[in-house]
Amino acid sequence: MENYSILIPSYTVGPEAYKKVPEYCKTYGRTAVVIGGTKAMAAARDKLLAATQGSEITILDFVHYGTECTFGTAKILERHPSVQKADMIFAVGGGKAVDTAKLVALDLDKPYFSFPTIASNCAASSSLAIVYNEDGSFCEFVHFLNSARHIFIDTGIIANSPIQYLWAGIGDTYAKYYEVSVSAKGEHLEHYKAAGVSLSRMCIDTMMDHGEQALKDNRAGIPSYDLEQVALTIIVTTGWVSMLVARDHTMDYNGGVAHAFFYGLCSLPNFTEDENRLHGVVVAFGVLMLLVIDGRKEECEALKAFNRKVNLPTKLSDIGVTVEDVAKAAPEMVKDADLEHYPYRVTEEMLVEAARYLDTEE
Ligand SMILES: [Zn+2]
């Protein structure tokens, strides 16, 4: 039998979460460098300095990560004197800054801690980095990086972040449940994979229970209980699930129709991400496609009712796409890596038929 370890990052959450920084970081070193985006560092700077003042931890510098997570950006950061000198890295931001810090941490063999300043994705907790080319186009997924030693989630900062991040994050997060549970259907699962699939259920339940109120509280800038539950599910639960269901290369239950739908549409020249077509919003619609294709029209209606409450899309035109667009993108959708492990073959006809069904609102 093979020996293996499962390492899942721990977290601290709350409006004063950073106060725990000295306690959880001191075993890894005495000096830290912050790597982050401009807005994220502006939001976190004072709280980080206050939390570490008079403690055993000294923040050497705040270094702007760049504009895109590229291998080139990571190399530039690795040559920065403060980055070289620090014992550990504090990755502050949304997705790209944290992913860039992961590449730096790997190359320099330094521990890193993550400080998500928005609740939109699981970059802070996952061991994956989404790397882009210098021109901003997608380059590759870098899997199996080290995950953060601890995640510090300041809900005060998140409550004051722009609402569209949480809005899109809700869609991308509930997709995790539908995609993982369908991908693993009928499989014999060992302990950690079974744990990941069971845990994915939270990705829809928490959104149904707290999503609507969390959005209201984000709009009002209140770090409420509902916002905390939703933020934790978006940032932490999805990351844990991703790691548990894809520990090795041989079997990855992440991904499914919803993400294949999004990436397929991205191949169309007239499809660009905008305010109504954020990744998580299109993926939220992709879940409706998944349910229709999976023959679960009743569940599709229930999810549409939830989407209506939180203003996520319920019909194809809500994301500015036509049945013809889906037909054009369908050859790309069926080839997408997200469908590599699926219980049945998804065909172009299935996608077009589902799009037609979802083209009109009953
Ligand atoms: Zn996604």
Short mmCIF file of all heavy atoms in Angstrom, two decimals, residues 172 259 263 279 283, ligand 1:
data_model
loop_
_atom_site.label_atom_id
_atom_site.label_comp_id
_atom_site.label_asym_id
_atom_site.label_seq_id
_atom_site.Cartn_x
_atom_site.Cartn_y
_atom_site.Cartn_z
N ASP A 172 -20.03 30.36 -8.76
CA ASP A 172 -18.88 29.46 -8.97
C ASP A 172 -18.82 28.41 -7.86
O ASP A 172 -18.39 27.28 -8.08
CB ASP A 172 -17.59 30.31 -8.98
CG ASP A 172 -16.50 29.68 -9.82
OD1 ASP A 172 -16.80 28.80 -10.65
OD2 ASP A 172 -15.33 30.09 -9.65
N HIS A 259 -18.44 24.36 -16.11
CA HIS A 259 -17.18 24.99 -16.49
C HIS A 259 -16.86 24.76 -17.97
O HIS A 259 -16.32 25.65 -18.64
CB HIS A 259 -16.03 24.54 -15.58
CG HIS A 259 -15.97 25.35 -14.31
ND1 HIS A 259 -16.77 25.05 -13.24
CD2 HIS A 259 -15.26 26.46 -13.98
CE1 HIS A 259 -16.54 25.95 -12.28
NE2 HIS A 259 -15.62 26.81 -12.70
N TYR A 263 -15.87 27.75 -20.56
CA TYR A 263 -14.63 27.77 -21.35
C TYR A 263 -14.92 27.61 -22.84
O TYR A 263 -14.21 28.18 -23.68
CB TYR A 263 -13.63 26.73 -20.84
CG TYR A 263 -13.08 27.10 -19.48
CD1 TYR A 263 -13.32 26.30 -18.35
CD2 TYR A 263 -12.36 28.28 -19.29
CE1 TYR A 263 -12.84 26.67 -17.09
CE2 TYR A 263 -11.89 28.66 -18.04
CZ TYR A 263 -12.13 27.85 -16.95
OH TYR A 263 -11.67 28.22 -15.71
N HIS A 279 -16.99 35.22 -14.71
CA HIS A 279 -16.81 33.76 -14.71
C HIS A 279 -17.89 33.04 -13.89
O HIS A 279 -18.58 32.16 -14.38
CB HIS A 279 -15.40 33.44 -14.19
CG HIS A 279 -15.16 31.98 -13.92
ND1 HIS A 279 -14.72 31.11 -14.90
CD2 HIS A 279 -15.33 31.24 -12.80
CE1 HIS A 279 -14.62 29.90 -14.39
NE2 HIS A 279 -14.98 29.94 -13.12
N VAL A 283 -20.86 30.52 -15.09
CA VAL A 283 -20.81 29.16 -14.54
C VAL A 283 -22.12 28.84 -13.81
O VAL A 283 -22.63 27.72 -13.89
CB VAL A 283 -19.58 29.00 -13.61
CG1 VAL A 283 -19.66 27.71 -12.80
CG2 VAL A 283 -18.29 29.02 -14.44
ZN ZN B 1 -14.88 28.43 -11.64
#
